[in-house]
Amino acid sequence: RGSWSPCGAIVSPCGAILCYGWDPGPGSVPEQFLRLEQLQARALRALGPPGPTVTHIYRPLEYAWEPHSRFVRTFCTGPRSVLFVGMNPGPFGMGQTGVPFGEVQHVRDWLHIGGQVQRPDPEHPKRPVLGLNCPRSEVSGARFWGLIRRLCPDPQRFFTHCFVHNHCPLLFLSASGRNVPPSDLPPQHRGPILELCDQALVGAVRVLSTRLVLALGRFTEHRARRGLPHPSPRNPRANREWERMVLSRLRELGSMPRFSHLEADLEHL
């Protein structure tokens, strides 16, 4: 299955390097991270349409760049030993706010991230982008940031060691407005997209000097090799006991010492 090498490259079991990731150049950690994301966004745009099942592509790294870059500059100020990785933006999360798992209430009222959000072009009539004024809550984002907030009421405490990122920064929509996950794209289009995103993830690991990548969901686990259950309502087990499953997995991976100041409270969750 391979492993992460100390330099951030993905290495096969025989030791062959599969990809190195991209070099964002010199600068501070947040500026390198943002440049890396811009490289990824440009490379993905150059690929063109991902097949007939997708009629609209939302690119929040472009139209929601202002709140996204504020999120990075506020909470990714240096190396981060743990990187939580989701699959791609949701229509009522990062698709609105530019923040991974960016359920509006948590982004606005807990992370205190703001900024102007433009409209995607073209915009799907059934999926308008209202930014931080979006009245709908994304279940995945509410569950993820809700748990993090309970563990670390002060977000700076969480972001001392951790950061949150998406493997793919694009939201794909069908003609009906249905969210099309990258896993459902036609193979001939999915392959090039995922290869670019894999390279960008390797680059992110290098920039952040990350030692542990925690993937949220089985699909992302296959790309990043370690996993937590995804908080999506499409995951039946998550609908019953997502917080308990995640805490159990964090203990198993040895990550709970980073939240040790709340360890005594976890037994009540």
Side-chain angles (χ1 to χ4, degrees):
R1 290 167 61 86
S3 61
W4 292 107
S5 75
C7 65
I10 296 179
V11 180
S12 71
C14 66
I17 295 178
L18 304 179
C19 64
Y20 281 100
W22 298 328
D23 182 5
S28 65
V29 167
E31 296 309 317
Q32 288 187 68
F33 193 88
L34 290 170
R35 279 201 301 271
L36 178 68
E37 291 188 307
Q38 290 175 321
L39 287 172
Q40 181 185 15
R42 291 192 202 111
L44 288 169
R45 181 175 279 280
L47 290 179
T53 58
V54 173
T55 61
H56 292 71
I57 302 176
Y58 282 16
R59 305 174 188 271
L61 291 187
E62 296 179 7
Y63 66 78
W65 180 253
E66 187 171 318
H68 176 79
S69 59
R70 287 184 182 178
F71 170 70
V72 173
R73 292 189 176 105
T74 301
F75 295 117
C76 188
T77 54
R80 296 294 183 262
S81 59
V82 178
L83 183 63
F84 290 81
V85 179
M87 182 165 57
N88 73 313
F92 306 110
M94 186 174 178
Q96 298 289 336
T97 65
V99 174
F101 290 94
E103 193 263 345
V104 171
Q105 184 177 359
H106 282 88
V107 170
R108 184 186 58 218
D109 301 335
W110 184 57
L111 297 177
H112 300 295
I113 296 296
Q116 187 173 7
V117 176
Q118 308 293 333
R119 307 298 281 262
D121 184 19
E123 184 179 59
H124 197 293
K126 293 184 178 180
R127 292 290 179 263
V129 170
L130 304 175
L132 292 166
N133 294 317
C134 178
R136 293 191 58 170
S137 174
E138 184 178 74
V139 174
S140 298
R143 284 176 176 166
F144 177 79
W145 289 115
L147 173 60
I148 299 303
R149 186 175 186 174
R150 292 176 69 181
L151 292 172
C152 301
D154 179 358
Q156 290 289 356
R157 196 98 179 239
F158 170 74
F159 288 106
T160 298
H161 300 290
C162 305
F163 197 58
V164 184
H165 184 52
N166 270 326
H167 178 259
C168 176
L170 306 180
L171 167 61
F172 304 102
L173 297 173
S174 70
S176 67
R178 179 180 65 89
N179 180 20
V180 181
S183 56
D184 289 354
L185 296 175
Q188 68 271 28
H189 299 288
R190 181 175 67 232
I193 290 173
L194 296 184
E195 287 176 12
L196 284 175
C197 293
D198 286 348
Q199 293 183 42
L201 177 59
V202 172
V205 167
R206 294 176 65 184
V207 166
L208 299 180
S209 301
T210 295
R211 298 195 299 271
L212 178 63
V213 175
L214 294 177
L216 290 145
R218 189 174 300 277
F219 177 83
T220 314
E221 180 180 1
H222 289 319
R223 314 308 303 184
R225 293 183 172 82
R226 291 178 184 259
L228 297 174
H230 197 283
S232 169
R234 297 173 64 180
N235 179 356
R237 292 189 64 201
N239 290 330
R240 296 193 303 269
E241 51 183 12
W242 185 76
E243 286 193 356
R244 193 168 294 279
M245 288 190 299
V246 168
L247 294 173
S248 174
R249 184 66 172 139
L250 288 173
R251 290 190 182 97
E252 180 183 328
L253 292 171
S255 298
M256 283 312 302
R258 294 176 177 85
F259 305 108
S260 58
H261 59 290
L262 288 177
E263 179 69 23
D265 296 333
L266 297 181
E267 300 304 322
H268 301 295
L269 292 181

